[in-house]
Amino acid sequence: MTTRLFGERVQRREDLRLITGQGRYLDDLGRDALAAAFVRSPHAHALIRDIDVSAALDVDGLVAIYTWEDLPERVRDPLPLLIPHPALTHGRTAYPLARDVVRHVGEPVVMVVARDRYIAEDAAALIEVDYEFRKPVVGIEEAAHGVHLVHEDVPGNVGAHLVQEVPSPAGQSAREAVEAAPHTLSFRLDFERSASMPLEGRGVYARWDADDRSLRVYSSTQTSTSVRMAIAAKLGLPLPSVEVIAPDVGGGFGVKIVHPWPEEVLVPWAAMLLGREVKWAEDRREHFISSAHERGQVQHVRVGFDDEGHVLGLDVTILHDHGAYTPYGIIVPIITSTQLLGPYRIGAYRVEFSSIYTNTVQVTPYRGAGRPQGVFCMERTMDRIAAHLGLDRAAVRAANFIQPGEFPYDQGLIFQDGRPLIYDSGDYPESLRMLKELIGWDGFPAMKAEAAARGRRLGIGLGCYVEGTGVGPYEGGHVQVTSDGRVHVSTGLTSQGQGHETVFAQIAATELGVPLSSVSVVTGDTRRFGYAVGTFASRAAVMSGNAIALACRKVRDKALRIAAEALEADPRDLEIEDGVVRVVGNPEASLPLATVAVLSNPLRYAFDEEAARATQFSGAAPMDRPPVQEGEEPGLEGRDYYSPVRSTFASGMHAAIVETDPDTAEIRILRYAVVHDCGRLINPMIVEGQIHGGVAQGVGGALYERMVYDGHGQLLNASFMDFLMPYATEVPAIETAHLETPSPLNPLGIKGAGEAGVIPVSAVIASAIEDAEGLSIDRMPISPSELYELRRAATG
Ligand code: MCN
């Protein structure tokens, strides 16, 4: 059957357009728009004493210069704190342009608008800002000492402090359980800062229409509906007068969820004020120093366990580097601390984190959002336990797994959405069995010994994770069948390369029984769908996927009702196949869906001759009966929303075989295997693509990528010349197997997949290097020179 496309490896429909230069990215638009450029702070911490723009005013082609003083009320206010939390006692956000203090290198201070970007940059270079230098606070532990403050009114630089405790079933606290356990271990782990590096940076382009006082804004965003609301509120415009469109977006990976970015308020405001089109497209250096980073944690772990490796108590203390501001609240450390437990049943758990301000770029979620750090902590713990007891590392994990019969499983914690953290389904023992088979776990010792005999050092490692996906509160879908038989699907969330045009079309084709080629999909355009949350937290498939399916079911039911009347049949006897409604068992009695669409419209405008013949109407509405049936709306279209009771938990396990060079300490990944469970797969090929991309980012985080700040708060590697990322040559072939444990929480039984690939990679690589070297790996990333130093330290 051609229309049962759910679960098929359908080729991505958007790719031909995107890889042949037909994409419409932000900077492809508004070619004649004025350009904005920003003067950004060169200091990590300073008072602004004076801003002298006089030299810039003479630049030919300059249109306007704005400082904080020039901004009107609301526009000049600090940017919103998007997710408040009671533990975030000292949340702080930036002004769109610095008011009197700058708190990190790259903070915007002045906006310049000019005829083109060259002129804007030249004018910006002539603006002199008189700074009074203040001692910057760099490094999470230095900041935690609280000697120098990032925000004068935040004592100890502590923005938030949270303790969560889950006692053992017998009522023992984690600390008691650790002390009472037959074995205890304590250690420290470090996870360095990194950041999402989408090919396309942020960007915004605004057009003000003075005639009907409306604003159209294009933004390279993950959340067009929220950007729209923020702009309307800041600029004092009625919501219907603002439209926000995410054109093709060249990657986001979390950084484009933050809304509004200063530029997303300032550029539309300038467009409105000047009555001109204004555009700003971020350059790479701006992306490094003015957007957002993540990861960056120090963890102290105490664990107590028995002779079989069962974890009886786990006590984790986390210092989380939050950078200078907290626009996204404390979502990242909350995710780390609540999803750290992974697929394991732990006796008793205590986690405490402090979120610390530093004079560095702010921290907001980056793909995986706090989970890579949490998984690193848990999986390093599992490996330590195995090493201490002399047990197989996979066996220790298996001893702690939640079993398939234990779902729904309540971890006793509160998820980031404020609801209880309850795993809905999974089969962790089966995942591990599949992984061991895929990588050849049991045969590895022989392979390692054989390699060693030839002077080669090999190591194998593994890591397990769960991921709460499909977070609420809701997402919607609209589906319309037009009288040409085409199906138009829209949803409010945006796409950044995940393949939504394909998967949402697969869902609609399957639900409606139409060919894929007749379905078109629009995302991230508030003109088409105004209510949405956005694309993040691996939620699009679960949220919009289900909403679109529900909307399609409404449309299908309506189509069957209309067709039943026309065919004088019972709707229950009808089916839709290949875009045709038929009486089951009587193929003669049928109506194309296009005709049903014509019949659904009171005007009965027939798009083509065939439809006109079939409906016996050529344009005039029949007057002898009500054009719209009671309780029906005109048109073959439907809208529905999906709102989950709680998140659904995807899971997975990865394993790698690495080789370390005995002389140079070079680290090579020889094999990488993934077993992944995201419930029912809509498109296995797209899920594999997502996993491959995630693993590639994880390899970057494990071996190459880090933000190198000096003691003055200068980011030393803020370019692609200096920020090391893996090329295709460093990313191994990724062997993937799927396990499908459907989610009982949503109609399609799906779980998210978009972040999974990145989550355990650092833990896996650390585990494998440790196995190859017989050394403890306590920090990520690890470079050959660092491994070399570890070897030297170990051999004295
Ligand atoms: N999918 C599927 N079957 C499932 C689950 C998912 O076929 N059971 C498909 C989906 O339909 C979708 C893709 O896999 O096409 C990812 O789905 P989902 O897990 O819902 O994730 P989102 O679509 O919400 O994407 C967000 C997620 C996140 S949070 C980050 S960060 C990330 C990621 O996606 N950023 C990306 N993948 C990215 N991929 C690209 N190319 N660019 C980014 O910026």
Side-chain angles (χ1 to χ4, degrees):
M1 276 183 258
T2 51
T3 56
R4 296 281 172 267
L5 292 164
F6 192 107
E8 295 296 316
R9 292 178 171 271
V10 174
Q11 201 76 28
R12 284 172 44 126
R13 317 168 85 197
E14 46 272 79
D15 283 357
L16 187 64
R17 179 167 56 83
L18 296 178
I19 63 176
T20 55
Q22 307 303 308
R24 271 168 70 252
Y25 296 93
L26 194 278
D27 211 15
D28 296 324
L29 313 174
R31 289 278 172 196
D32 298 325
L34 299 175
F38 291 85
V39 176
R40 298 184 183 273
S41 171
H43 299 299
H45 201 183
L47 278 183
I48 298 172
R49 280 201 293 233
D50 185 41
I51 301 175
D52 179 0
V53 301
S54 52
L57 293 174
D58 296 335
V59 172
D60 185 31
L62 177 88
V63 176
I65 297 178
Y66 304 111
T67 67
W68 181 84
E69 299 283 347
D70 302 313
L71 305 178
E73 246 180 84
R74 284 196 286 219
V75 174
R76 58 161 47 181
D77 293 345
L79 295 159
L81 199 161
L82 296 164
I83 311 181
H85 189 284
L88 181 61
T89 48
H90 296 83
R92 296 289 179 271
T93 59
Y95 290 95
L97 292 173
R99 182 180 178 175
D100 44 13
V101 184
V102 285
R103 294 191 176 84
H104 68 89
V105 171
E107 194 163 346
V109 180
V110 184
M111 175 163 74
V112 179
V113 181
R115 199 169 58 225
D116 63 37
R117 182 70 177 256
Y118 297 100
I119 297 170
E121 296 278 357
D122 287 350
L126 294 173
I127 293 172
E128 288 192 17
V129 184
D130 182 10
Y131 293 102
E132 183 181 309
F133 184 72
R134 281 192 180 174
K135 172 86 179 102
V137 184
V138 186
I140 190 169
E141 282 167 308
E142 183 193 327
H145 289 139
V147 178
H148 300 284
L149 298 180
V150 176
H151 298 272
E152 263 174 17
D153 55 348
V154 180
N157 293 313
V158 179
H161 179 251
L162 185 65
V163 180
Q164 299 198 65
E165 285 240 33
V166 187
S168 74
Q172 211 174 22
S173 75
R175 287 185 168 167
E176 288 164 351
V178 172
E179 294 314 320
H183 308 274
T184 60
L185 290 172
S186 304
F187 48 93
R188 169 196 165 129
L189 300 168
D190 287 74
F191 211 97
E192 288 193 42
R193 251 179 192 238
S194 188
S196 55
M197 288 293 154
L199 277 181
E200 183 199 28
R202 299 174 297 129
V204 57
Y205 157 49
R207 293 183 200 165
W208 172 247
D209 184 331
D211 292 335
D212 65 12
R213 295 196 53 78
S214 68
L215 188 66
R216 180 179 296 180
V217 178
Y218 294 85
S219 180
S220 183
T221 178
Q222 294 176 232
T223 54
S224 52
T225 47
S226 316
V227 171
R228 178 197 195 200
M229 284 190 282
I231 291 174
K234 288 270 180 192
L235 303 191
L237 290 168
L239 195 64
S241 302
V242 181
E243 299 294 358
V244 175
I245 300 155
D248 286 320
V249 174
F253 306 110
V255 71
K256 295 176 185 172
I257 336 171
V258 181
H259 58 266
W261 281 101
E263 299 85 354
E264 274 171 337
V265 178
L266 297 170
V267 167
W269 169 74
M272 199 171 141
L273 190 72
L274 298 167
R276 308 275 299 272
E277 297 182 9
V278 183
K279 182 169 79 170
W280 168 75
E282 183 181 63
D283 66 29
R284 188 55 58 184
R285 183 171 159 75
E286 285 182 303
H287 188 76
F288 270 98
I289 63 172
S290 312
S291 63
H293 299 168
E294 213 232 88
R295 314 299 193 231
Q297 286 183 359
V298 174
Q299 304 163 340
H300 294 275
V301 185
R302 266 178 72 67
V303 60
F305 48 98
D306 67 15
D307 294 342
E308 281 88 45
H310 295 116
V311 177
L312 304 174
L314 181 66
D315 181 8
V316 181
T317 307
I318 299 169
L319 283 181
H320 174 77
D321 180 353
H322 225 131
Y325 301 107
T326 49
Y328 238 76
I330 46 173
I331 199 79
V332 173
I334 286 193
I335 295 176
T336 304
S337 55
T338 55
Q339 287 177 54
L340 184 154
L341 296 179
Y344 308 115
R345 186 195 320 102
I346 298 297
Y349 178 48
R350 179 182 193 279
V351 63
E352 170 177 0
F353 71 76
S354 301
S355 207
I356 307 291
Y357 286 111
T358 56
N359 286 116
T360 58
V361 175
Q362 64 192 1
V363 164
T364 67
Y366 158 38
R367 198 179 201 174
R371 294 181 191 85
Q373 302 93 308
V375 169
F376 188 65
C377 176
M378 192 72 227
E379 295 300 301
R380 297 284 62 222
T381 303
M382 288 292 163
D383 281 354
R384 296 271 155 121
I385 294 172
H388 183 84
L389 297 173
L391 295 175
D392 174 59
R393 286 168 291 164
V396 169
R397 284 160 170 93
N400 287 286
F401 278 156
I402 295 160
Q403 297 300 310
E406 292 182 278
F407 294 101
Y409 186 87
D410 188 345
Q411 282 285 22
L413 291 157
I414 300 298
F415 193 59
Q416 66 260 27
D417 60 3
R419 302 181 194 194
L421 187 136
I422 301 173
Y423 299 173
D424 50 326
S425 66
D427 188 343
Y428 309 139
E430 176 59 10
S431 289
L432 184 62
R433 189 200 62 72
M434 289 167 68
L435 183 75
K436 285 172 67 179
E437 193 176 300
L438 192 60
I439 196 81
W441 184 266
D442 293 332
F444 181 74
M447 181 180 167
K448 181 175 176 172
E450 194 192 315
R454 285 182 284 115
R456 294 175 64 190
R457 268 186 215 184
L458 303 191
I460 194 168
L462 82 166
C464 311
Y465 63 94
V466 299
E467 184 195 359
T469 65
V471 66
Y474 79 101
E475 215 56 67
H478 179 256
V479 176
Q480 181 181 29
V481 183
T482 44
S483 51
D484 54 357
R486 292 205 59 79
V487 178
H488 305 270
V489 175
S490 60
T491 185
L493 55 65
T494 61
S495 301
Q496 303 87 51
Q498 292 89 345
H500 295 156
E501 273 178 63
T502 305
V503 284
F504 294 153
Q506 283 179 257
I507 291 172
T510 305
E511 292 289 338
L512 286 176
V514 298
L516 191 75
S517 56
S518 66
V519 186
S520 57
V521 175
V522 170
T523 59
D525 184 339
T526 61
R527 294 171 302 179
R528 290 288 296 274
F529 205 99
Y531 293 93
V533 179
T535 299
F536 54 89
S538 303
R539 64 191 295 283
V542 175
M543 302 301 300
S544 284
N546 278 292
I548 289 166
L550 293 172
C552 284
R553 289 174 194 181
K554 277 190 174 170
V555 172
R556 188 174 188 282
D557 288 348
K558 184 169 186 180
L560 295 186
R561 282 198 303 275
I562 295 170
E565 197 188 330
L567 295 168
E568 296 178 353
D570 188 322
R572 285 167 301 187
D573 295 336
L574 299 183
E575 63 176 10
I576 311 180
E577 268 313 330
D578 278 333
V580 177
V581 189
R582 291 183 229 283
V583 177
V584 179
N586 180 8
E588 299 299 301
S590 66
L591 271 186
L593 211 48
T595 307
V596 180
V598 174
L599 291 173
S600 75
N601 182 341
L603 282 180
R604 300 210 163 165
Y605 173 71
F607 192 82
D608 58 26
E609 278 183 22
E610 192 195 336
R613 263 199 312 280
T615 54
Q616 298 168 11
F617 296 112
S618 56
M623 295 301 170
D624 57 344
R625 52 173 223 165
V628 180
Q629 300 289 308
E630 206 170 321
E632 295 278 24
E633 288 186 8
L636 188 50
E637 60 184 295
R639 180 187 303 269
D640 213 337
Y641 294 87
Y642 171 68
S643 186
V645 277
R646 54 176 190 271
S647 292
T648 168
F649 277 78
S651 61
M653 304 186 184
H654 296 194
I657 296 177
V658 304
E659 175 163 15
T660 56
D661 188 293
D663 300 319
T664 64
E666 189 194 350
I667 303 158
R668 275 204 311 138
I669 304 170
L670 302 185
R671 283 188 58 200
Y672 201 96
V674 174
V675 174
H676 186 247
D677 179 0
C678 56
R680 289 184 67 210
L681 295 157
I682 308 167
N683 185 328
M685 190 180 67
I686 286 186
V687 169
E688 283 159 22
Q690 286 289 306
I691 289 172
H692 292 177
V695 170
Q697 276 176 317
V699 168
L703 298 176
Y704 308 105
E705 297 173 11
R706 50 163 56 112
M707 293 293 169
V708 183
Y709 277 99
D710 71 8
H712 304 290
Q714 296 292 339
L715 186 57
L716 300 181
N717 58 343
S719 82
F720 280 172
M721 290 292 285
D722 304 303
F723 180 79
L724 205 55
M725 287 196 290
Y727 294 120
T729 41
E730 280 76 43
V731 179
I734 297 155
E735 303 156 58
T736 312
H738 302 284
L739 177 68
E740 290 188 66
T741 59
S743 171
L745 299 179
N746 62 72
L748 297 178
I750 51 185
K751 306 174 180 181
E755 292 163 279
V758 76
I759 293 173
V761 185
S762 282
V764 173
I765 303 289
S767 178
I769 296 174
E770 209 166 81
D771 184 46
E773 294 282 329
L775 293 166
S776 280
I777 306 296
D778 300 329
R779 58 183 310 135
M780 278 280 146
I782 181 160
S783 65
S785 58
E786 285 160 328
L787 178 59
Y788 189 80
E789 288 305 323
L790 281 179
R791 282 180 187 167
R792 286 212 327 184
T795 55

Short mmCIF file of all heavy atoms in Angstrom, two decimals, residues 420-443:
data_model
loop_
_atom_site.label_atom_id
_atom_site.label_comp_id
_atom_site.label_asym_id
_atom_site.label_seq_id
_atom_site.Cartn_x
_atom_site.Cartn_y
_atom_site.Cartn_z
N PRO A 420 5.87 14.87 38.14
CA PRO A 420 6.69 13.76 38.62
C PRO A 420 7.46 13.10 37.48
O PRO A 420 6.94 12.99 36.36
CB PRO A 420 5.67 12.79 39.22
CG PRO A 420 4.44 13.57 39.43
CD PRO A 420 4.44 14.69 38.44
N LEU A 421 8.66 12.68 37.78
CA LEU A 421 9.50 12.07 36.76
C LEU A 421 9.21 10.55 36.75
O LEU A 421 9.67 9.82 37.61
CB LEU A 421 10.97 12.36 37.09
CG LEU A 421 12.00 11.94 36.06
CD1 LEU A 421 13.01 13.05 35.88
CD2 LEU A 421 12.70 10.68 36.47
N ILE A 422 8.39 10.15 35.80
CA ILE A 422 7.95 8.75 35.74
C ILE A 422 8.28 8.19 34.36
O ILE A 422 7.86 8.75 33.34
CB ILE A 422 6.41 8.65 35.98
CG1 ILE A 422 6.06 9.24 37.35
CG2 ILE A 422 5.94 7.20 35.87
CD1 ILE A 422 4.57 9.35 37.62
N TYR A 423 9.05 7.11 34.33
CA TYR A 423 9.38 6.48 33.05
C TYR A 423 8.16 5.69 32.58
O TYR A 423 7.57 4.94 33.36
CB TYR A 423 10.55 5.51 33.20
CG TYR A 423 11.86 6.11 33.69
CD1 TYR A 423 12.92 5.28 34.00
CD2 TYR A 423 12.05 7.48 33.82
CE1 TYR A 423 14.15 5.79 34.43
CE2 TYR A 423 13.26 8.00 34.25
CZ TYR A 423 14.30 7.16 34.56
OH TYR A 423 15.49 7.67 34.99
N ASP A 424 7.81 5.83 31.30
CA ASP A 424 6.58 5.19 30.82
C ASP A 424 6.80 3.78 30.29
O ASP A 424 5.96 2.91 30.50
CB ASP A 424 5.88 6.05 29.77
CG ASP A 424 6.80 6.52 28.67
OD1 ASP A 424 8.00 6.78 28.95
OD2 ASP A 424 6.36 6.65 27.52
N SER A 425 7.91 3.55 29.59
CA SER A 425 8.14 2.19 29.07
C SER A 425 9.60 2.06 28.64
O SER A 425 10.31 3.05 28.52
CB SER A 425 7.23 1.90 27.87
OG SER A 425 7.57 2.73 26.77
N GLY A 426 10.03 0.85 28.42
CA GLY A 426 11.40 0.59 28.00
C GLY A 426 11.75 -0.87 28.26
O GLY A 426 10.97 -1.59 28.92
N ASP A 427 12.86 -1.30 27.69
CA ASP A 427 13.34 -2.67 27.98
C ASP A 427 14.87 -2.59 28.01
O ASP A 427 15.54 -2.85 27.01
CB ASP A 427 12.83 -3.64 26.91
CG ASP A 427 13.15 -5.09 27.29
OD1 ASP A 427 14.01 -5.31 28.17
OD2 ASP A 427 12.53 -6.00 26.70
N TYR A 428 15.38 -2.19 29.15
CA TYR A 428 16.82 -1.95 29.26
C TYR A 428 17.65 -3.24 29.14
O TYR A 428 18.69 -3.23 28.48
CB TYR A 428 17.13 -1.17 30.54
CG TYR A 428 16.26 0.08 30.70
CD1 TYR A 428 15.73 0.43 31.95
CD2 TYR A 428 15.96 0.89 29.62
CE1 TYR A 428 14.92 1.55 32.09
CE2 TYR A 428 15.15 2.01 29.76
CZ TYR A 428 14.64 2.34 30.99
OH TYR A 428 13.84 3.44 31.12
N PRO A 429 17.21 -4.35 29.75
CA PRO A 429 18.01 -5.58 29.58
C PRO A 429 18.12 -5.98 28.10
O PRO A 429 19.19 -6.39 27.64
CB PRO A 429 17.23 -6.63 30.38
CG PRO A 429 16.47 -5.84 31.40
CD PRO A 429 16.12 -4.56 30.72
N GLU A 430 17.04 -5.82 27.37
CA GLU A 430 17.07 -6.20 25.94
C GLU A 430 17.99 -5.24 25.17
O GLU A 430 18.74 -5.66 24.28
CB GLU A 430 15.65 -6.18 25.37
CG GLU A 430 15.53 -6.45 23.87
CD GLU A 430 16.08 -7.81 23.42
OE1 GLU A 430 16.40 -8.66 24.28
OE2 GLU A 430 16.22 -7.99 22.19
N SER A 431 17.95 -3.95 25.51
CA SER A 431 18.84 -3.00 24.84
C SER A 431 20.29 -3.40 25.06
O SER A 431 21.11 -3.38 24.13
CB SER A 431 18.68 -1.59 25.43
OG SER A 431 17.47 -1.03 25.05
N LEU A 432 20.61 -3.78 26.28
CA LEU A 432 22.00 -4.14 26.59
C LEU A 432 22.40 -5.41 25.85
O LEU A 432 23.51 -5.51 25.31
CB LEU A 432 22.18 -4.32 28.10
CG LEU A 432 23.62 -4.59 28.55
CD1 LEU A 432 24.54 -3.43 28.21
CD2 LEU A 432 23.69 -4.86 30.06
N ARG A 433 21.46 -6.36 25.80
CA ARG A 433 21.76 -7.60 25.07
C ARG A 433 22.06 -7.28 23.61
O ARG A 433 23.04 -7.75 23.03
CB ARG A 433 20.57 -8.57 25.17
CG ARG A 433 20.85 -9.97 24.65
CD ARG A 433 19.59 -10.73 24.33
NE ARG A 433 18.78 -10.11 23.27
CZ ARG A 433 19.08 -10.09 21.98
NH1 ARG A 433 20.20 -10.67 21.56
NH2 ARG A 433 18.29 -9.50 21.11
N MET A 434 21.23 -6.42 23.02
CA MET A 434 21.42 -6.06 21.61
C MET A 434 22.75 -5.33 21.41
O MET A 434 23.47 -5.57 20.44
CB MET A 434 20.27 -5.17 21.12
CG MET A 434 18.95 -5.91 20.97
SD MET A 434 17.55 -4.78 20.75
CE MET A 434 17.88 -4.08 19.14
N LEU A 435 23.06 -4.44 22.34
CA LEU A 435 24.30 -3.66 22.22
C LEU A 435 25.53 -4.57 22.30
O LEU A 435 26.47 -4.45 21.51
CB LEU A 435 24.37 -2.59 23.31
CG LEU A 435 25.61 -1.69 23.21
CD1 LEU A 435 25.45 -0.70 22.06
CD2 LEU A 435 25.85 -0.94 24.52
N LYS A 436 25.49 -5.48 23.27
CA LYS A 436 26.65 -6.38 23.44
C LYS A 436 26.86 -7.22 22.19
O LYS A 436 27.99 -7.44 21.75
CB LYS A 436 26.44 -7.27 24.68
CG LYS A 436 26.65 -6.53 25.99
CD LYS A 436 26.25 -7.34 27.20
CE LYS A 436 27.14 -8.55 27.42
NZ LYS A 436 26.75 -9.30 28.62
N GLU A 437 25.75 -7.63 21.61
CA GLU A 437 25.86 -8.43 20.38
C GLU A 437 26.41 -7.58 19.23
O GLU A 437 27.29 -8.01 18.49
CB GLU A 437 24.47 -8.98 20.03
CG GLU A 437 24.49 -10.06 18.98
CD GLU A 437 23.10 -10.61 18.78
OE1 GLU A 437 22.52 -11.14 19.74
OE2 GLU A 437 22.59 -10.47 17.64
N LEU A 438 25.87 -6.36 19.13
CA LEU A 438 26.26 -5.48 18.02
C LEU A 438 27.75 -5.15 18.06
O LEU A 438 28.43 -5.18 17.04
CB LEU A 438 25.42 -4.20 18.10
CG LEU A 438 25.42 -3.23 16.93
CD1 LEU A 438 24.92 -3.91 15.67
CD2 LEU A 438 24.53 -2.02 17.25
N ILE A 439 28.27 -4.85 19.24
CA ILE A 439 29.68 -4.43 19.33
C ILE A 439 30.61 -5.62 19.53
O ILE A 439 31.83 -5.50 19.36
CB ILE A 439 29.86 -3.39 20.49
CG1 ILE A 439 31.20 -2.64 20.37
CG2 ILE A 439 29.75 -4.03 21.86
CD1 ILE A 439 31.21 -1.51 19.41
N GLY A 440 30.05 -6.77 19.88
CA GLY A 440 30.88 -7.94 20.16
C GLY A 440 31.56 -7.83 21.52
O GLY A 440 32.77 -8.05 21.66
N TRP A 441 30.77 -7.48 22.52
CA TRP A 441 31.30 -7.23 23.88
C TRP A 441 32.04 -8.44 24.43
O TRP A 441 33.17 -8.34 24.93
CB TRP A 441 30.15 -6.83 24.80
CG TRP A 441 30.54 -6.45 26.19
CD1 TRP A 441 30.58 -7.29 27.28
CD2 TRP A 441 30.97 -5.18 26.66
NE1 TRP A 441 30.98 -6.59 28.40
CE2 TRP A 441 31.23 -5.28 28.05
CE3 TRP A 441 31.14 -3.93 26.05
CZ2 TRP A 441 31.65 -4.20 28.83
CZ3 TRP A 441 31.56 -2.86 26.82
CH2 TRP A 441 31.82 -3.01 28.18
N ASP A 442 31.40 -9.60 24.33
CA ASP A 442 32.00 -10.78 24.98
C ASP A 442 33.27 -11.24 24.28
O ASP A 442 34.15 -11.82 24.91
CB ASP A 442 30.97 -11.92 25.04
CG ASP A 442 29.82 -11.57 25.98
OD1 ASP A 442 30.06 -10.79 26.93
OD2 ASP A 442 28.68 -12.05 25.74
N GLY A 443 33.36 -10.96 22.97
CA GLY A 443 34.56 -11.39 22.25
C GLY A 443 35.69 -10.38 22.32
O GLY A 443 36.81 -10.64 21.84
#
